[in-house]
Amino acid sequence: MAFLKQLRNSRDEAVKSFTTMNQSTLINWIVSRFLIATTFLSAPVLLAGPETLEDPKDSKSIPPAEIKPWCEPPPPIEIRIGIPGWLAGFSGDSGVKGVVSDVDVGFDQLLRHLTHVPIVLSIDVRYQRWEFFGDGQYMEVGDSVTLPGLLFTNANLHLKSGLAEAFLGYRLINCDKAALSIFAGARYTYTGLNLSIFDNGDARLPILRQLLGLDKKLNAEGSIDWVDPVLGARGRLKLWKATSLYVEGDVGGFDANSGSAFETHRHGRTIVKEPISSSDWSYQIQGGIEVQLTRNIWSQLGWRYLKYDYVSGGFTNKTALNGPFVQAGMNF
């Protein structure tokens, strides 16, 4: 019995010793694996060396990207010269020596009624916020008209029209993407009329010739020119890269050249001169799209409308010039 008891004790001690050894081995294995993982993960940090702050004054440092402001000023000086093509139709009342006729030549008919090649030019100069710009054109058209208020007869009308305008402006908004200017200046207008009245056998035609101061002629002709003060505004907005919208409007005249005026009418069998109200106003608006085709070549496509309300002496010019506007030019 004593031997069996001693054998049992020896067995228990061996099991206890084995168990203690296994726990120690397991702990050692876990610790060793943890140390290996820690060394592997920390290797990049250990090899990278100490972190240093970058000196902002260092010339080799890369500066952050600059945020450009929305309103970048354009170049300080700009010069633009253009050749405008305004297919302007005529409509309204025109008269000379009191004989008033209604003319209506649409822009789609303009080429058929032109008697001379139009003369056109435009210029635009800017320094900083100050602008000087202007344009001019001269054209002649002919048409057959009716004189209902006179002898209920027909006549050939030859109309000469010229205008030249120059303005001084100041930019309230002076950005590359947008601009807004106010301006003041003057518009010179020239109008020449020639009415060739048909001899339809009416006995009152000699009275008409005497009243118009014509010696055995059936023509009434004359010309007049005047200068109107003008106030206006214009703007430009860039849509995308080289494409922009532009718009311009002005008011002129302000009755600066108004005075006495008359028209010739028939009352029964008598032809008399009747006094009428004199006026001198003009209104203009235009706008469209502008494209910078190359660095130095640009073009415009839009619409232009100019309305006259001028009556002075025996001249009447209540016409509207209205039609598509095309222009090409160079900028420096």
Side-chain angles (χ1 to χ4, degrees):
M1 294 295 294
F3 174 75
L4 292 175
K5 184 176 181 180
Q6 185 177 2
L7 183 59
R8 189 180 299 112
N9 291 338
S10 298
R11 186 197 62 185
D12 294 338
E13 290 180 2
V15 172
K16 184 177 180 180
S17 176
F18 179 77
T19 302
T20 302
M21 182 184 65
N22 288 343
Q23 292 178 352
S24 178
T25 303
L26 180 61
I27 292 173
N28 291 336
W29 183 84
I30 293 174
V31 171
S32 64
R33 293 299 184 273
F34 177 76
L35 292 175
I36 293 173
T38 302
T39 302
F40 178 78
L41 294 175
S42 61
V45 178
L46 295 175
L47 295 176
E51 182 180 1
T52 59
L53 295 177
E54 187 176 23
D55 186 0
K57 298 181 180 180
D58 188 1
S59 60
K60 296 181 180 180
S61 61
I62 302 176
E66 296 182 0
I67 300 177
K68 294 183 178 180
W70 184 87
C71 183
E72 290 186 88
I77 300 177
E78 184 179 13
I79 301 175
R80 293 156 54 97
I81 298 176
I83 304 296
W86 186 16
L87 299 177
F90 288 88
S91 62
D93 296 333
S94 296
V96 57
K97 295 187 178 181
V99 182
V100 179
S101 62
D102 180 34
V103 59
D104 187 6
V105 178
F107 71 87
D108 55 333
Q109 306 172 352
L110 181 63
L111 296 179
R112 299 201 306 266
H113 292 274
L114 279 175
T115 59
H116 291 78
V117 177
I119 302 173
V120 293
L121 182 66
S122 72
I123 186 170
D124 195 327
V125 179
R126 179 183 57 81
Y127 175 71
Q128 302 291 359
R129 290 178 177 265
W130 292 98
E131 301 174 329
F132 173 80
F133 60 97
D135 65 274
Q137 75 167 30
Y138 176 82
M139 61 190 305
E140 298 183 16
V141 296
D143 193 17
S144 178
V145 298
T146 303
L147 307 175
L150 190 59
L151 297 174
F152 300 97
T153 187
N154 296 327
N156 286 330
L157 171 67
H158 188 73
L159 175 62
K160 303 175 183 179
S161 175
L163 70 89
E165 48 190 14
F167 307 109
L168 178 64
Y170 181 79
R171 284 195 173 186
L172 302 177
I173 300 176
N174 187 37
C175 302
D176 181 62
K177 294 183 179 180
L180 176 63
S181 306
I182 56 175
F183 59 83
R187 178 183 295 119
Y188 168 81
T189 303
Y190 167 83
T191 298
L193 290 172
N194 181 290
L195 279 170
S196 300
I197 304 172
F198 297 152
D199 185 357
N200 59 359
D202 197 308
R204 288 165 293 189
L205 281 178
I207 302 176
L208 174 62
R209 293 198 304 269
Q210 182 180 2
L211 183 64
L212 297 178
L214 303 174
D215 185 17
K216 297 181 180 181
K217 294 181 180 179
L218 298 177
N219 291 333
E221 61 181 346
S223 63
I224 192 172
D225 59 348
W226 69 94
V227 178
D228 285 334
V230 177
L231 297 175
R234 67 175 185 168
R236 187 181 306 273
L237 177 64
K238 182 174 289 188
L239 297 178
W240 180 76
K241 292 186 177 180
T243 304
S244 304
L245 285 178
Y246 73 94
V247 64
E248 179 180 331
D250 62 63
V251 178
F254 306 100
D255 274 338
N257 297 285
S258 62
S260 61
F262 68 89
E263 283 186 1
T264 303
H265 292 282
R266 185 188 64 177
H267 288 277
R269 296 180 177 272
T270 306
I271 299 174
V272 297
K273 293 181 179 179
E274 288 187 351
I276 59 174
S277 298
S278 178
S279 62
D280 178 22
W281 288 86
S282 60
Y283 314 90
Q284 179 175 220
I285 186 169
Q286 60 178 310
I289 297 177
E290 178 178 315
V291 179
Q292 191 73 34
L293 300 176
T294 67
R295 184 181 180 87
N296 299 107
I297 299 177
W298 53 272
S299 65
Q300 288 180 340
L301 176 62
W303 201 272
R304 186 176 181 181
Y305 176 86
L306 174 59
K307 177 68 170 68
Y308 285 105
D309 185 2
Y310 180 84
V311 181
S312 181
F315 282 88
T316 298
N317 185 15
K318 292 187 175 183
T319 59
L321 285 75
N322 184 31
F325 182 81
V326 180
Q327 183 171 204
M330 300 185 65
N331 58 284
F332 306 93

